[in-house]
C-alpha cells in the first residue's frame, strides 16, 4: 500500500479531523457562494481575471523581465532561484550580510514549499511565524493543512493545549483569549525583529510592486517594522497591471473566505522612501522557479493561473474527508494534486491525481475557472507514461482496450463474465471481489450482470 | 432542431450488461413519443475506464471504434448517462487533440469526435431541450412517492444539465422531490476511483447515503446508472430499504 | 546578472512555446466600468458597508463638528498621529488635548499609543475600504499598531470601487513619472477566524476602527 493510502487511512480514522474539517469547509463554501452571488457581473469578472492570468503566461519570460526592471527602478533588489534550496540560501545570505538575527514571517505557501524555516534555523537565525494559524502550527511542530486556514484540522481545545504546553500560558479554549495571548507574544517579536519574510499574493508587473493580503495585519507588521524585507514568490504570481489587480482582489477574498475584500491589502512598491519613518530600509524579491518552468512547458500550464484562494479545497469531497496532511506536501486539495506532481515530479506523487472522482466541484468554484479535472486526467496520462504503474492495471486496461474495440470479442467476454459472476452470486449480488476490484466490495456489494443483455431484449422485441 | 423521427441509442455498457430494463424504459418512452430507436449492434463501451486511468492509447482504440460506428449513423445520438455523454461530448476531443501543437493528435478522429459531439444528447437533455417536453404525462396514482434526485457530477457539471431532469420529475404527478443535504456532492463513484481509492470513495458514499436516508425519500432517482449502481451497492450492504431508479423508469412507471 | 536568472528565463522561454494555454472567452470588455454615482449615494453605500464591517462611523456637518467629535474621542488618550499638516479639517489642533506621538518618535513610544489617528487618500464605498497611503509625516504604524484606529474621511474623497482608485493613482504616477506610493487598503478591524472559524477582532492590527466623515 502506498504512503498516500496509509495517510488516507489515518486521516479517515481521525474523529477530531472529521468534525473540525467538515464544519469549517461547509461554512466556507456557503459563505463563498453567497458573496459571489452578491457581486454584480461575477461571471464576467471571473472570465476577465482568467484572461489576465492566462494572457501573461503566453510571454511569462518577457513579463518577468519587465517586472524585474520595474522592481529595480523602485529600489528593490531582485534575486532568482532555480529551486527551493537556492531560494533559502539567498535568504540566509541576505540575513547574514545585514547581521539579522531574528526573522518574523507572515503566511507564505512559497516558503513552506522550500522549507525555509528549517534552513534559517540551521543557519542560526530565530524564525517566528506570525499568522495566528501558522504560529500555532509552528508551536505544534506540524505543517499547515489548508491554504487559507492552516489549522482547519484542529479544535480549539487542542489549540489551547498546544499553547499551554509550548508557551506555558494557562490553558484556555476560548478563541478570543487565545488570540489575545498570541497578539501580545507576537508584538514583542515584531518589535525586536530585524528581518521580515513574506510571500506575495501578486506582483504587479507594470508597477514593480508586491501585493500582500491578510486579515490579521501581520503581513503589514512584517513589512513595516523590520529593517529588511524579503519576498519569496513563485515566478507565476504576476498580474499585468492595476486594472487586473482590481479583478483579482474582487474574487480572491470572496472565494477564500466569503469576504468582499480581505481586511488588509498592501501594495508595496519598494523600500521606505526619503523622509519616511517606517517600512523596511531594504527590500529584496526572490523569484522562485522550482519546477514552474517545467509546468509551463506542458499540458498543465493552466495551473500557473491559480491565485491560491483555497475554494477548491472547501468544495472537494475528497479533501473534506481526508484533510490537507494526507496530500503529503505543501499544497493540499485539488490544486495540490496538480501542483505537487508539477513541482516535485510525477514519480512518487502519482497517487495524488488518482485521488479524485473527477466530480468537477473544484472547477465550478475556481475563481479563474481552472479546468482542474482536465489537468488531473493529463497527469494520470503522464503517470502511465513516466511512472511505475502496477503491471496488473496496465494489463487489465490493455485487455479492456483490445476487447472493447472488437464487438464480437466484447460480447463473448461480457457473456462469460456474466456467467462467472452469477455463479459467485446466486442472489445477484457479489459480496467480495478478488484483487484490485476488492476495493469495491470493501464498502458495497456488487450487482451481478443480468442474464439477458439489453441488446438481446431489444432484439427480441423488435425483430 | 426539427422533431427527429429516428434516434441512435448509445446504451452504455452498464445498462447493456447490468441494467437492461433501464434501456427498455428509455426505448419505451422514446417510442411512445413516436421516435424510432435504432441500436447500433456493434457498440461496446465509450472507453472512459481506460481514459480516466490515464491509458490513452487503450482508450483511443475503444473511442475510434465508437466514433467509427456512430459516424456511420445519422440523427441525434441519445445516451442514457451523463458520464458517458460527457466522455463522448467533451473528453473524446481531449483524447484525440494531441499537445498544444497538435503533436500526437489524430486529426481525422478529432474531426469525427467534434461531429459526433454535436449530435450527442443525454436522455433527459434530449427530452427537454430537443423535444421540448417536460410533462410526459406520468401519473403515479396510488404509487405516489417521495424521491431524492441525485444530480450526477458529469451530467450536472460536465454537461451543465442542472434543470432538465428536475423539470421532468416536476412533471410527474404524485412524485414529491425531497430536499437532500449537499445534494450536488459526488457520491464517490468516479469509476476506477472507487476501487483504487476505496477508502475515500467509501467515506464519500457513506456521507451521501446518510444524507439521502435523512431526506425521507423512498427512492433515489438519477440519470446515471454508474452512480446508482454504486449507491445501490452501498445501500444493500447497509441493509437499507431505499431503492434506486433511473429517471426513465420513473417517467415510464406512470404511463404504463 | 546571475546564472540562475539566465537559466530560469531561458527555461521559461523554451516552455512558453510549448505551453498549452487555453484561449480566453471572447467578447469581454477591456476593463471594468464604474458608473458615476452622486456623492450622497456614495456616502450612503460607504456607511452601509461600514455597518456590516463593524466600523463605527460618525457623519459631521462642518469642520468644527469634525474637530469636536475627534476631541471627544482622543482627549486625555495617548495618540500616534500623522503630522498635523497632513490631517484634514485642521484636526491637528485637537492633538493638544491628547498625549501625542508621531512617526519620528521612538518605536517603543509608538507602541504605547492607545489610538492611531490618520487621514486617508480615498474611501471605497463598494467595500467599505480605506485607502491609506504613507509617506513623510504619514507613518504606516499609525493605522496599524494601536488597538484603535481613528480615520478622517473627506466627503469628496469617496470613490465607488477600488478600480477607480487604481486608475487615478496610475495616472498620477505616470504623469509625474514617479513610482506608486505605498498604500494599504483597510477594510474594517483586524480579524482572524483561524480558530474553528470563530471571529476574533484585533489580532494584530486595530480591533476598533472609527471613521469620521466630514463635509
Amino acid at each position: 500500500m502506498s504512503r498516500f493510502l496509509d495517510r488516507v487511512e489515518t486521516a479517515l480514522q481521525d474523529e477530531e479531523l472529521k468534525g473540525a474539517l467538515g464544519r469549517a469547509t461547509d461554512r466556507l463554501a456557503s459563505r463563498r457562494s453567497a458573496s459571489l452571488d452578491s457581486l454584480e457581473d461575477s461571471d464576467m469578472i471571473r472570465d476577465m481575471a482568467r484572461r489576465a492570468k492566462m494572457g501573461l503566461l503566453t510571454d511569462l519570460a518577457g513579463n518577468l523581465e519587465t517586472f524585474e526592471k520595474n522592481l529595480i527602478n523602485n529600489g528593490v533588489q531582485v534575486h532568482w532561484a532555480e529551486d527551493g534550496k537556492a531560494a533559502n540560501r539567498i535568504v540566509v545570505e541576505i540575513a547574514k550580510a545585514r547581521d539579522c538575527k531574528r526573522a518574523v514571517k507572515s503566511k507564505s505557501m512559497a516558503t513552506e514549499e522550500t522549507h525555509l524555516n528549517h534552513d534559517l534555523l540551521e543557519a542560526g537565525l530565530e524564525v517566528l511565524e506570525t499568522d495566528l494559524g501558522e504560529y500555532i502550527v509552528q508551536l505544534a511542530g506540524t505543517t499547515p493543512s489548508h491554504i487559507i486556514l492552516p489549522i482547519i484540522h484542529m479544535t480549539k481545545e487542542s489549540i489551547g493545549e498546544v499553547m499551554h504546553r509550548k508557551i506555558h500560558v494557562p490553558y484556555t479554549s476560548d478563541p478570543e483569549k487565545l488570540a489575545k495571548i498570541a497578539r501580545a507574544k507576537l508584538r514583542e517579536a515584531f518589535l525586536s525583529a530585524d528581518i521580515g519574510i513574506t510571500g506575495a499574493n501578486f506582483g504587479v508587473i507594470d508597477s514593480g510592486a508586491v501585493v500582500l493580503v491578510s486579515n490579521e495585519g501581520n503581513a503589514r507588521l512584517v513589512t513595516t517594522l523590520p529593517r529588511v524585507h524579503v519576498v519569496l514568490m513563485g515566478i507565476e504570481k504576476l498580474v499585468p497591471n492595476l486594472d487586473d489587480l482590481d479583478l483579482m482582489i474582487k474574487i480572491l477574498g470572496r472565494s477564500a473566505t466569503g469576504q468582499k475584500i480581505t481586511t488588509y491589502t498592501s501594495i508595496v512598491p519598494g523600500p521606505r522612501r526619503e523622509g519616511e519613518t517606517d517600512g523596511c530600509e531594504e527590500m529584496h524579491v526572490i523569484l522562485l522557479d522550482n519546477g514552474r518552468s517545467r509546468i509551463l512547458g506542458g499540458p498543465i500550464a493552466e495551473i500557473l493561473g491559480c491565485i491560491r484562494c483555497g475554494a477548491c479545497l472547501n468544495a472537494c469531497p475528497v479533501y473534506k474527508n481526508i484533510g490537507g496532511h494526507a496530500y503529503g506536501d505543501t499544497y493540499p486539495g485539488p490544486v495540490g494534486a496538480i501542483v505537487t506532481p508539477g513541482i516535485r515530479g510525477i514519480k512518487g506523487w502519482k497517487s495524488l491525481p488518482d485521488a479524485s472522482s473527477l466530480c468537477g466541484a473544484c472547477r465550478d468554484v475556481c475563481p479563474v475557472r481552472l479546468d482542474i479535472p482536465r489537468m488531473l486526467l493529463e497527469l494520470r496520462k503522464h503517470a502511465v507514461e513516466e511512472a511505475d504503474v502496477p503491471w496488473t492495471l496496465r494489463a487489465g486496461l490493455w485487455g479492456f482496450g483490445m476487447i472493447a474495440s472488437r464487438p464480437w470479442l466484447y460480447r463473448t467476454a461480457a457473456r462469460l463474465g456474466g456467467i462467472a459472476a452469477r455463479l459467485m452470486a446466486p442472489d445477484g449480488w457479489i459480496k467480495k471481489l478478488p484483487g484490485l476490484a476488492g476495493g469495491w466490495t470493501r464498502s458495497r456489494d456488487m450487482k451481478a450482470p443480468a442474464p439477458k443483455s439489453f441488446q438481446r431484449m431489444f432484439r427480441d422485441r423488435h425483430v | 432542431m426539427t422533431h427527429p423521427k429516428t434516434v441512435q441509442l448509445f446504451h452504455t455498457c452498464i445498462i447493456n450488461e447490468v441494467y437492461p430494463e433501464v434501456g427498455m424504459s428509455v426505448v419505451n418512452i422514446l417510442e411512445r413519443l413516436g421516435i424510432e430507436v435504432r441500436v447500433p449492434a456493434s457498440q461496446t463501451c465509450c472507453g472512459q475506464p481506460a481514459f480516466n486511468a490515464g491509458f490513452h492509447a487503450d482508450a483511443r482504440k475503444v473511442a475510434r471504434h465508437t466514433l467509427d460506428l456512430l459516424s456511420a449513423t445519422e440523427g441525434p445520438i441519445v445516451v442514457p448517462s451523463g458520464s458517458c455523454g460527457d466522455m463522448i461530448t467533451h473528453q473524446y476531443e481531449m483524447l484525440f487533440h494531441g499537445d498544444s501543437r497538435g503533436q500526437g493528435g489524430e486529426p481525422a478522429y478529432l474531426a469525427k469526435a467534434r461531429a459526433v459531439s454535436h449530435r450527442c444528447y443525454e436522455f433527459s437533455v434530449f427530452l427537454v431541450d430537443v423535444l421540448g417536453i417536460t410533462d410526459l404525462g406520468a401519473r403515479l396514482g396510488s404509487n405516489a412517492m417521495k424521491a431524492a434526485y441525485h444530480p450526477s457530477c458529469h451530467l450536472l457539471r460536465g454537461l451543465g444539465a442542472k434543470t432538465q431532469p428536475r423539470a421532468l420529475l416536476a412533471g410527474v404527478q404524485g412524485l414529491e422531490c425531497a430536499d437532500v443535504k449537499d445534494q450536488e456532492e459526488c457520491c464517490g463513484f468516479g469509476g476506477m476511483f472507487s476501487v483504487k481509492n476505496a477508502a475515500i470513495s467509501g467515506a464519500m458514499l457513506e456521507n451521501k447515503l446518510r444524507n439521502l436516508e435523512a431526506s425521507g425519500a423512498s427512492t433515489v432517482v438519477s440519470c446515471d446508472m454508474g452512480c446508482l449502481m454504486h449507491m445501490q451497492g452501498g445501500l444493500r450492504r447497509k441493509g437499507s430499504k431505499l431503492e434506486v431508479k433511473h429517471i426513465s423508469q420513473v417517467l415510464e412507471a406512470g404511463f404504463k | 546578472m546571475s546564472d540562475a536568472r539566465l537559466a530560469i528565463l531561458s527555461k521559461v522561454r523554451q516552455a512558453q512555446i510549448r505551453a498549452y494555454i487555453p484561449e480566453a472567452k471572447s467578447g469581454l470588455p477591456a476593463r471594468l466600468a464604474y458608473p458615476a454615482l452622486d456623492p450622497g449615494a456614495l456616502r450612503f453605500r460607504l456607511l452601509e458597508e461600514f455597518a456590516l464591517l463593524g466600523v463605527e462611523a460618525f457623519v459631521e456637518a462642518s469642520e468644527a463638528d469634525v474637530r469636536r467629535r475627534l476631541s471627544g474621542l482622543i482627549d486625555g488618550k495617548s495618540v500616534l498621529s500623522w503630522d498635523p499638516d497632513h490631517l484634514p479639517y485642521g484636526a491637528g489642533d485637537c492633538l493638544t488635548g491628547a498625549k501625542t506621538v508621531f512617526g519620528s518618535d521612538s518605536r517603543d513610544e509608538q507602541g504605547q499609543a492607545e489610538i492611531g489617528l490618520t487621514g486617508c487618500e480615498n474611501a471605497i464605498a463598494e467595500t467599505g475600504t480605506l485607502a491609506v497611503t504613507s509617506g513623510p509625516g504619514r507613518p504606516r504604524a499609525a493605522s496599524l499598531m494601536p488597538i484603535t484606529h481613528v480615520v478622517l474621511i473627506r466627503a469628496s474623497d469617496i470613490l465607488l470601487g477600488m478600480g477607480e482608485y487604481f486608475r487615478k493613482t496610475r495616472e498620477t504616477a505616470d504623469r509625474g513619472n514617479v513610482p506608486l506610493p505605498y498604500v494599504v487598503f483597510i477594510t474594517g478591524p483586524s480579524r482572524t477566524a483561524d480558530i474553528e472559524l470563530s471571529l476574533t477582532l484585533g489580532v494584530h492590527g486595530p480591533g476598533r476602527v472609527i471613521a469620521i466623515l466630514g463635509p
Side-chain angles (χ1 to χ4, degrees), chain A residues 85 168 232 277 286 313 391 418 443 460 463:
Chain A
K85 277 282 159 221
H168 314 297
L232 178 61
T277 53
I286 304 169
L313 278 61
W391 71 268
S443 40
D460 287 352
V463 189

Side-chain angles (χ1 to χ4, degrees), chain B residues 8 19 35-36 81 156 174 179 186 225:
Chain B
Q8 309 295 330
Y19 296 99
I35 294 169
E36 185 197 344
S81 158
L156 177 70
D179 288 325
C186 177
M225 287 322 294

Side-chain angles (χ1 to χ4, degrees), chain B residues 23-201:
Chain B
M24 292 314 290
S25 295
V26 168
V27 171
N28 291 341
I29 289 171
L30 292 171
E31 288 183 345
R32 184 164 304 223
L33 294 167
I35 294 169
E36 185 197 344
V37 180
R38 293 196 183 151
V39 179
S42 60
Q43 59 180 299
T44 57
C45 166
C46 65
Q48 190 171 187
F51 178 73
N52 281 2
F55 291 82
H56 285 214
D58 299 312
R60 275 186 185 183
K61 284 186 213 152
V62 185
R64 279 190 216 107
H65 166 72
T66 303
L67 284 172
D68 284 339
L69 87 95
L70 291 176
S71 299
T73 65
E74 274 179 27
I77 301 159
V78 173
V79 186
S81 158
S83 191
C84 312
D86 188 40
M87 177 75 192
I88 296 172
T89 311
H90 293 131
Q91 319 305 350
Y92 274 9
E93 180 163 341
M94 180 180 164
L95 189 56
F96 291 109
H97 194 285
D99 71 6
S100 60
R101 287 172 290 182
Q103 270 178 27
E106 293 183 39
Y109 277 100
L110 183 61
K112 279 190 182 180
R114 286 183 174 148
V116 163
S117 153
H118 287 122
R119 293 168 49 205
C120 193
Y121 301 91
E122 184 276 329
F123 173 65
S124 70
V125 173
F126 180 74
L127 292 181
V128 176
D129 292 357
V130 179
L131 302 182
I133 295 170
T134 50
D135 186 355
L136 280 157
R139 306 285 178 265
L140 297 183
S142 57
N143 296 322
M145 66 170 166
K146 193 169 177 183
Y149 172 61
H150 173 69
S152 61
C153 299
H154 291 172
L155 178 64
L156 177 70
R157 287 178 283 263
L159 294 174
K162 188 184 174 91
T163 56
Q164 295 88 334
R166 289 173 190 275
L168 288 166
L169 291 176
V172 178
Q173 212 175 68
L175 184 139
E176 182 195 348
C177 269
D179 288 325
V180 184
K181 182 176 181 278
D182 298 333
Q183 188 158 17
E184 294 185 351
E185 194 159 296
C186 177
C187 70
F189 176 44
M192 194 78 87
F193 169 76
S194 61
V195 173
K196 268 191 175 179
N197 285 279
I200 306 173
S201 167

Side-chain angles (χ1 to χ4, degrees), chain A residues 82-378:
Chain A
E82 287 190 78
D83 56 31
K85 277 282 159 221
N88 297 352
R89 214 177 309 121
I90 294 168
V91 181
V92 169
E93 279 163 15
I94 293 169
K96 291 224 156 141
R98 276 92 189 156
D99 202 24
C100 297
K101 304 230 157 33
R102 301 193 69 177
V104 279
K105 284 180 66 199
S106 73
K107 207 172 97 56
S108 144
M109 297 306 286
T111 63
E112 292 284 342
E113 176 186 327
T114 67
H115 308 296
L116 176 63
N117 289 7
H118 172 268
D119 286 10
L120 289 179
L121 291 169
E122 203 150 77
L125 272 95
E126 276 179 54
V127 196
L128 201 63
E129 294 287 350
T130 63
D131 172 86
L132 178 60
E134 293 276 347
Y135 175 60
I136 293 161
V137 160
Q138 193 182 21
L139 289 179
T142 63
T143 54
S145 74
H146 190 285
I147 293 177
I148 301 297
L149 293 164
I151 49 173
I152 194 169
H153 58 288
M154 292 173 88
T155 59
K156 53 187 191 296
E157 288 77 19
S158 60
I159 293 164
E161 191 57 43
V162 165
M163 288 183 70
H164 170 62
R165 226 176 41 242
K166 297 288 175 156
I167 52 173
H168 314 297
V169 293
Y171 172 82
T172 170
S173 63
D174 177 352
E176 197 143 335
K177 285 189 186 133
L178 291 168
K180 275 222 168 64
I181 296 167
R183 176 181 169 113
K185 285 272 171 198
L186 291 168
R187 188 55 75 87
E188 283 170 35
F190 277 123
L191 289 167
S192 63
D194 33 34
I195 182 166
I197 301 169
T198 69
N201 292 92
F202 304 100
V204 189
I205 297 171
D206 78 342
S207 309
V210 168
V211 182
L212 293 164
V213 308
S214 84
N215 271 314
E216 299 178 4
N218 59 317
R220 293 183 64 196
L221 286 161
V222 170
T223 59
T224 298
L225 299 179
R227 58 193 159 84
V228 180
H229 174 202
V230 180
V231 179
L232 178 61
M233 60 187 285
I235 51 172
E236 84 286 17
K237 299 228 75 167
L238 302 178
V239 289
N241 54 49
L242 293 175
D243 275 330
D244 295 317
L245 180 63
D246 182 29
L247 303 170
M248 302 301 160
I249 290 173
K250 280 190 158 62
I251 55 178
L252 177 58
R254 286 179 163 94
S255 302
T257 57
Q259 291 166 276
K260 285 179 189 147
I261 176 173
T262 313
T263 306
Y264 301 114
T265 301
S266 310
I267 300 188
V268 191
R272 83 164 71 163
R273 305 212 175 115
E274 208 178 314
E276 283 193 280
T277 53
D278 48 22
C280 64
E281 291 159 26
E282 252 182 54
M283 181 169 164
H284 298 261
V285 169
I286 304 169
L287 296 165
L288 173 70
D289 181 346
N290 205 31
R292 288 165 174 78
S293 56
R294 192 175 60 222
I295 292 178
L296 180 67
I300 60 165
E302 195 185 343
I303 198 64
L304 298 174
C306 170
I307 61 170
R308 306 280 190 265
C309 69
C312 61
L313 278 61
N314 306 327
C316 176
V318 173
Y319 175 85
K320 283 195 266 188
N321 273 296
I322 65 175
H325 289 149
Y327 289 83
D329 199 37
T330 311
Y331 302 98
V335 57
I338 295 165
V339 170
T340 304
I343 60 180
R344 311 271 189 223
I346 191 77
K347 288 205 172 76
W349 296 103
K350 69 184 172 58
S351 308
L352 297 185
D354 272 347
S356 165
S357 66
L358 303 173
C359 78
C362 47
R363 179 180 50 206
D364 264 21
V365 298
C366 177
V368 287
R369 304 195 194 284
L370 301 180
D371 192 346
I372 293 170
R374 181 189 68 77
M375 289 187 273
L376 292 171
L377 286 163
E378 292 283 7

Side-chain angles (χ1 to χ4, degrees), chain C residues 2-212:
Chain C
S2 67
D3 291 345
R5 177 181 187 277
L6 290 177
I8 293 172
L9 286 173
S10 113
K11 278 195 275 184
V12 170
R13 214 159 251 128
Q14 292 291 313
Q16 68 197 22
I17 304 170
R18 295 191 306 269
Y20 171 72
I21 297 162
E23 272 172 40
K25 210 168 157 183
S26 57
L28 297 171
R31 60 187 206 177
L32 291 180
Y34 284 95
L37 289 188
D38 78 70
L42 281 173
R43 194 173 72 182
F44 189 87
R45 180 72 195 270
L46 180 66
L47 290 169
E48 225 181 322
E49 294 297 327
F50 277 168
L52 290 172
L53 292 162
V55 172
E56 299 158 55
F58 299 100
V59 180
E60 306 298 345
S62 71
E63 298 205 357
D65 289 339
V66 170
R67 289 195 294 270
R68 211 169 297 125
R69 175 67 67 186
L70 180 61
S71 291
L73 290 168
I74 67 172
D75 272 357
K77 302 273 174 57
S78 55
V79 178
L80 168 57
S81 175
W82 278 10
D83 289 1
D85 48 341
H86 288 290
L87 295 172
Y89 305 121
D93 295 350
C94 306
L95 293 170
T96 48
K99 179 184 172 300
T100 311
V101 288
F102 295 104
S104 51
D105 291 309
S106 78
R107 191 129 290 164
D108 280 344
E109 285 174 283
Q110 292 180 16
Q112 302 300 316
E114 299 159 89
I115 293 175
L117 176 61
T118 74
C120 72
E121 178 110 0
N122 288 105
I124 316 291
E126 202 171 62
T127 49
T129 300
L130 310 163
V132 182
T133 50
S134 60
R138 291 174 289 133
R140 300 172 199 187
S143 63
L144 176 60
M145 289 176 73
I147 195 71
T148 301
H149 175 205
V150 177
V151 62
L152 306 172
I153 303 168
R154 284 186 298 225
S156 56
D157 289 339
I158 305 175
L159 303 173
L160 178 60
M162 191 173 284
E164 287 175 284
Y165 171 83
F166 282 143
R167 278 167 212 175
K168 185 194 87 170
T169 308
R170 183 81 261 166
E171 276 159 28
T172 313
D174 287 349
R175 207 175 319 117
N177 198 20
V178 290
L180 294 180
Y182 175 98
V183 60
V184 57
F185 298 96
I186 300 173
T187 310
S190 155
R191 55 195 272 158
T192 184
D194 272 354
I195 302 176
E196 287 197 5
L197 282 189
S198 126
L199 180 65
T200 305
L201 299 183
V203 65
H204 283 297
R208 239 182 122 188
V209 179
I210 303 171
I212 305 177

Side-chain angles (χ1 to χ4, degrees), chain A residues 385-425:
Chain A
E385 290 159 355
E386 301 291 328
D388 293 332
V389 173
W391 71 268
T392 42
L393 190 64
R394 205 176 277 280
L397 286 160
W398 177 83
F400 166 79
M402 205 262 292
I403 293 168
S405 52
R406 291 168 177 78
W408 56 273
L409 194 55
Y410 179 80
R411 277 194 297 273
T412 311
R415 195 164 305 163
L416 292 174
I419 292 169
R422 284 188 296 279
L423 283 173
M424 284 168 72

